[in-house]
């Protein structure tokens, strides 16, 4: 419990900044910009017709969808997801490399607590932080949905679609944990997390351009698409399974590495 | 007496690189046991294997009769460790580190923290990263002792401490020892091991070359002898049993000596001396003794 609470306490300030950023960006775009966007449909379509198709695809614009609530949600999610991915990776890298960065691995690993228990406490701390953010995200999503005059019968879909962020963050949390446990040195948590987040964005943009399934399998930002929930009621099973497999594999490998590695002398 | 630390043929290798090989040791309850060798000899590797920071390749390592890897958590409840390099969390004050450290032992350590901080004159409310090396070392000492462990493992503990603080530290370790704690004291400085330890193990190239009582080590050790005679004295005839590596340069001579000191003094007495130095051997000279055997 002490490692768990210390981890949360250590990350609290940056964690709040990340969470507020996600919620504010979502709120501004979905409750503010959405209505303006819908009201200016003709102008937007005119402007859009001048864009090269590849450009629109790379930025997540699907003109056939974007003038629906689910389509606009998907468009905004593309960007929320980048912030969420960077946040989740940062939470994991920060937690699992904390002692490595401070050169105090000896301190923690010579306390009467097993390495498995330390790993679990850090993982639970990360999961707790992401869970709280996503509970708030879902709550805000419900408020926005209700406030935007959408059909109340579609609320369950809006809630489930909002969970895309949490599931995607779990994947990035596991990738971050893998990086932090295997890297010999971790110099900058935000730097590495941002690199991972943008790598995810580039892969998702590549998928949007090429529409190749093979690319989507290696593009974690596209595993959970909110639009799929709005249109079909659920996420696409094969990508959800891929996401679960990636997350379990990364966490499993990280756990084994954390428990087995020889701590080098300084 | 029973062995608090016991290793049998403990071996740690890093692929082709040597770590330690066939280290067999028994540190008895209540003793202060020195572990000495030059840098890179395998002291830290042995200690890190005992603490399960690294995993042994083969052999056995037991503390309190328990297996160092399988029973690590149980063992570490009663072990205090001071690493050679002291680093702690960024942005943490000493008092916060001690509270965090104490939280692992599930007992109230606040009184002991206060006593140790007062003895070592440490400002508990200062951030550790802003402290000097000596003060960081004090933080390490306190976090290693705050739970009154049964076994204290010290890896090069005095680097960074000024001579006065070293004395305070040695007094503290003796006090902990008097309380009943067993101490494993690793160092490459012979004089500090001589100052505090009951027995000593000498490690060289990853292998234990000798385990001796400190007084035996001193008796068996070589002395470094040098002298200068008055002008005109012919030193070419100087010879005494037990002298090695004799080098004569003009009116001066130097050699390493192990043998009857009376015979040495008699031989020296045959020359009109200006100066004589008979000094404790350096650690390297001690090792020469073991190389030659």
């Amino acid at each position: 419990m002490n490692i768990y609470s210390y981890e949360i306490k250590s990350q609290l300030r940056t964690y709040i900044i990340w969470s507020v950023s996600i919620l504010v960006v979502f709120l501004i775009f979905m409750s503010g910009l959405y209505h303006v966007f819908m009201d200016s449909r003709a102008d937007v379509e005119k402007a859009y017709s001048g864009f090269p198709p590849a450009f629109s695809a790379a930025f997540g614009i699907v003109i056939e969808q974007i003038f629906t609530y689910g389509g606009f949600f998907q468009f905004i999610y593309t960007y929320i997801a980048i912030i969420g991915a960077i946040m989740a990776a940062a939470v994991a890298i920060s937690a699992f490399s904390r002692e490595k960065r401070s050169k105090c691995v000896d301190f923690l690993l010579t306390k009467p607590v097993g390495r498995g228990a330390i790993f679990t406490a850090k993982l639970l701390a990360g999961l707790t932080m992401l869970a709280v953010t996503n509970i708030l995200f879902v709550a805000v999503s419900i408020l926005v949905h209700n406030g935007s005059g959408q059909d109340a019968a579609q609320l369950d879909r809006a809630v489930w679609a909002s969970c895309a962020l949490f599931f995607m963050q779990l994947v990035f949390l596991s990738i971050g944990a893998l990086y932090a446990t295997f890297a010999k040195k971790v110099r900058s948590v935000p730097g590495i997390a941002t690199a991972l987040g943008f790598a995810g964005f580039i892969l998702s943009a590549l998928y949007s351009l090429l529409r190749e399934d093979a690319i989507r399998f290696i593009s974690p930002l596209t595993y959970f698409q909110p639009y799929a929930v709005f249109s079909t009621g659920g996420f696409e099973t094969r990508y959800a399974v891929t996401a679960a497999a990636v997350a379990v594999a990364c966490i499993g490998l990280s756990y084994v590495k954390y428990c087995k590695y020889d701590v080098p002398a300084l | 007496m029973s062995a608090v630390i016991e290793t049998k043929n403990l071996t740690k290798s890093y692929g082709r690189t040597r770590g330690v090989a066939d280290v067999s040791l028994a540190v008895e309850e209540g003793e202060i046991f020195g572990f000495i060798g030059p840098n890179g000899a395998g002291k830290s590797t042995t200690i890190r294997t005992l603490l399960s920071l690294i995993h042994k390749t083969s052999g056995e390592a037991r503390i309190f009769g328990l297996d160092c890897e399988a029973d690590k958590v149980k063992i570490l409840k009663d072990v205090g460790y001071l690493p050679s390099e002291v680093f702690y969390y960024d942005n943490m004050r000493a008092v916060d580190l001690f509270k965090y450290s104490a939280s692992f032992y599930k007992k109230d350590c606040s009184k002991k923290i206060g006593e140790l901080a007062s003895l070592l004159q440490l400002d508990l409310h200062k951030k550790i990263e802003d402290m000097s090396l000596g003060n960081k070392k004090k933080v390490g000492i306190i976090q290693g002792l705050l739970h009154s462990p049964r076994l204290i493992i010290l890896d090069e503990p005095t680097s960074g401490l000024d001579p006065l603080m070293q004395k305070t530290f040695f007094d503290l370790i003796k006090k902990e020892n008097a309380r009943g704690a067993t101490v494993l004291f690793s160092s490459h400085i012979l004089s500090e091991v001589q100052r505090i330890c009951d027995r000593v193990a000498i490690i060289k190239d990853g292998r234990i070359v000798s385990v001796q009582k400190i007084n035996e080590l001193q008796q068996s050790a070589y002395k470094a002898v040098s002298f200068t005679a008055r002008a005109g004295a012919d030193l070419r005839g100087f010879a005494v049993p037990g002298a090695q590596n004799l080098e004569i340069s003009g009116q001066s001579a130097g050699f390493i000596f192990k043998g009857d000191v009376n015979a040495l003094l008699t031989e020296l007495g045959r020359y009109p001396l200006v100066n004589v130095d008979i000094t404790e051997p350096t650690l390297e000279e001690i090792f020469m003794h073991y190389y030659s055997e």
Side-chain angles (χ1 to χ4, degrees):
Chain A
M1 194 62 186
N2 49 357
I3 297 171
Y4 172 86
S5 43
Y6 176 64
E7 201 51 60
I8 290 181
K9 199 176 144 199
S10 301
Q11 295 204 34
L12 200 58
R13 204 169 62 90
T14 47
Y15 164 71
I16 290 172
I17 292 170
W18 281 115
S19 300
V20 169
S21 306
I22 287 174
L23 297 174
V24 166
V25 168
F26 180 72
L27 203 60
I28 288 172
F29 279 87
M30 286 307 291
S31 67
L33 197 67
Y34 175 66
H35 296 288
V36 178
F37 194 77
M38 289 300 166
D39 293 344
S40 327
R41 179 168 184 163
D43 294 334
V44 173
E45 282 180 335
K46 193 177 165 193
Y48 172 78
S49 63
F51 290 167
F55 178 84
S56 307
F59 284 91
I61 302 168
V62 183
I63 201 71
E64 299 78 23
Q65 299 172 6
I66 204 165
F67 292 104
T68 62
Y69 184 80
F72 193 74
F73 190 110
Q74 172 70 50
F75 171 61
I76 299 306
Y77 174 80
T78 308
Y79 299 96
I80 296 280
I82 299 170
I83 305 174
I86 296 172
M87 174 196 175
V91 163
I93 295 169
S94 178
F96 289 104
S97 72
R98 181 168 307 286
E99 286 74 26
K100 220 181 257 184
R101 281 178 288 124
S102 304
K103 299 183 182 172
C104 64
V105 182
D106 283 11
F107 168 79
L108 187 59
L109 294 193
T110 53
K111 297 297 165 202
V113 55
R115 292 195 193 189
I118 296 172
F119 185 94
T120 307
K122 285 174 179 279
L123 183 63
L124 284 177
L127 288 173
T128 305
M129 286 188 269
L130 296 188
V132 170
T133 304
N134 281 279
I135 288 167
L136 293 173
F137 182 70
V138 170
V140 170
S141 174
I142 292 170
L143 289 176
V144 167
H145 184 269
N146 291 343
S148 62
Q150 298 302 306
D151 183 358
Q154 295 288 309
L155 183 62
D156 57 339
R157 289 195 174 191
V159 169
W160 190 230
S162 306
C163 293
L165 180 68
F166 182 58
F167 298 140
M168 180 280 300
Q169 283 196 308
L170 291 183
V171 177
F172 274 86
L173 182 85
S174 66
I175 294 171
L178 188 74
Y179 178 85
T181 48
F182 276 82
K184 279 192 175 168
K185 274 187 185 171
V186 177
R187 291 189 195 281
S188 159
V189 174
I192 304 295
T194 306
L196 288 175
F198 274 96
F201 175 69
I202 289 166
L203 286 170
S204 74
L206 204 61
Y207 167 70
S208 300
L209 276 174
L210 304 174
R211 292 281 154 189
E212 286 281 346
D213 278 355
I215 295 173
R216 193 169 167 191
F217 278 111
I218 56 161
S219 168
L221 283 181
T222 63
Y223 287 160
F224 299 97
Q225 300 281 48
Y227 188 74
V229 180
F230 282 108
S231 55
T232 67
F235 295 111
E236 294 143 286
T237 309
R238 56 185 180 152
Y239 299 111
V241 170
T242 305
V246 169
V248 168
C250 289
I251 292 296
L253 283 171
S254 309
Y255 182 86
V256 172
K257 175 72 176 174
Y258 196 85
C259 291
K260 297 282 177 197
Y261 86 110
D262 282 345
V263 182
L266 295 169
Chain B
M1 288 213 291
S2 57
V4 168
I5 298 175
E6 192 171 17
T7 68
K8 281 181 192 161
N9 301 320
L10 183 65
T11 299
K12 173 66 187 177
S13 52
Y14 300 93
R16 287 182 184 175
T17 316
R18 169 188 60 74
V20 292
D22 294 323
V23 170
S24 296
L25 278 178
V27 179
E28 303 297 334
E29 189 169 1
E31 75 175 332
I32 303 181
F33 190 91
F35 196 34
I36 194 157
N39 294 328
K43 302 185 296 294
S44 292
T45 301
T46 306
I47 287 175
R48 298 176 79 75
T49 312
L50 288 170
L51 292 166
S52 243
L53 286 168
I54 55 178
H55 299 88
K56 66 183 186 226
T57 306
S58 63
E60 268 184 52
R62 303 182 84 79
I63 291 178
F64 309 131
L66 302 168
D67 184 89
C68 283
E69 288 188 9
D71 302 309
K72 176 195 145 179
V73 176
K74 215 179 262 183
I75 290 169
L76 290 177
K77 281 179 188 166
D78 284 311
V79 174
Y81 170 56
L82 174 61
S84 53
E85 303 281 342
V86 279
F87 289 100
Y88 297 104
Y89 296 99
D90 298 336
N91 292 316
M92 215 179 204
R93 296 177 309 158
V95 67
D96 299 325
L97 180 86
F98 298 146
K99 281 181 187 168
Y100 187 44
S101 184
S103 70
F104 288 95
Y105 301 102
K106 297 179 177 64
K107 58 179 168 183
D108 183 14
C109 304
S110 49
K111 191 172 165 234
K112 184 90 182 248
I113 293 169
E115 284 172 8
L116 290 169
S118 161
L119 179 73
L120 296 172
Q121 297 161 18
L122 182 75
D123 179 357
L124 288 174
H125 298 281
K126 200 170 176 184
K127 275 191 179 177
I128 300 169
E129 65 195 78
D130 295 335
M131 290 179 178
S132 65
L133 173 62
N135 280 336
K136 282 182 185 166
K137 206 82 189 188
K138 292 177 192 174
V139 171
I141 295 166
I142 297 175
Q143 77 80 26
L145 300 180
L146 55 81
H147 56 296
S148 304
R150 283 170 59 202
L151 171 63
I152 300 166
I153 297 179
L154 307 165
D155 193 359
E156 309 274 0
T158 55
S159 58
L161 293 180
D162 62 50
L164 273 178
M165 199 44 74
Q166 283 189 18
K167 185 183 178 310
T168 308
F169 170 71
F170 285 126
D171 290 344
L172 175 61
I173 293 303
K174 282 177 188 163
K175 202 173 147 194
E176 289 291 317
N177 179 241
R179 170 181 67 74
T182 305
V183 181
L184 176 63
F185 185 111
S186 157
S187 177
H188 66 277
I189 303 165
L190 181 64
S191 59
E192 56 179 38
V193 170
Q194 285 173 332
R195 190 167 165 183
I196 194 170
C197 295
D198 307 313
R199 286 195 305 147
V200 62
I202 297 174
I203 186 165
K204 172 184 163 286
D205 295 337
R207 290 177 184 275
I208 300 289
V209 290
S210 176
V211 178
Q212 295 186 15
K213 287 184 178 168
I214 280 290
N215 53 4
E216 287 172 2
L217 178 73
Q218 283 166 327
Q219 282 164 10
S220 66
Y222 280 51
K223 302 284 180 192
V225 182
S226 62
F227 65 90
T228 306
R230 277 201 203 106
D234 183 2
L235 303 183
R236 282 174 298 179
F238 181 87
V240 61
Q244 286 183 9
N245 302 345
L246 176 63
E247 284 182 18
I248 298 171
S249 172
Q251 301 308 114
S252 297
F255 55 94
I256 300 297
F257 177 77
K258 183 195 171 191
D260 181 358
V261 286
N262 295 303
L264 172 66
L265 292 175
T266 305
E267 178 65 7
L268 286 171
R270 296 203 304 117
Y271 296 89
L273 298 178
V274 176
N275 186 41
V276 178
D277 279 320
I278 302 176
T279 55
E280 285 295 309
T282 62
L283 184 59
E284 287 67 29
E285 287 163 346
I286 290 269
F287 280 111
M288 272 181 59
H289 163 67
Y290 289 101
Y291 292 145
S292 64
E293 283 182 352

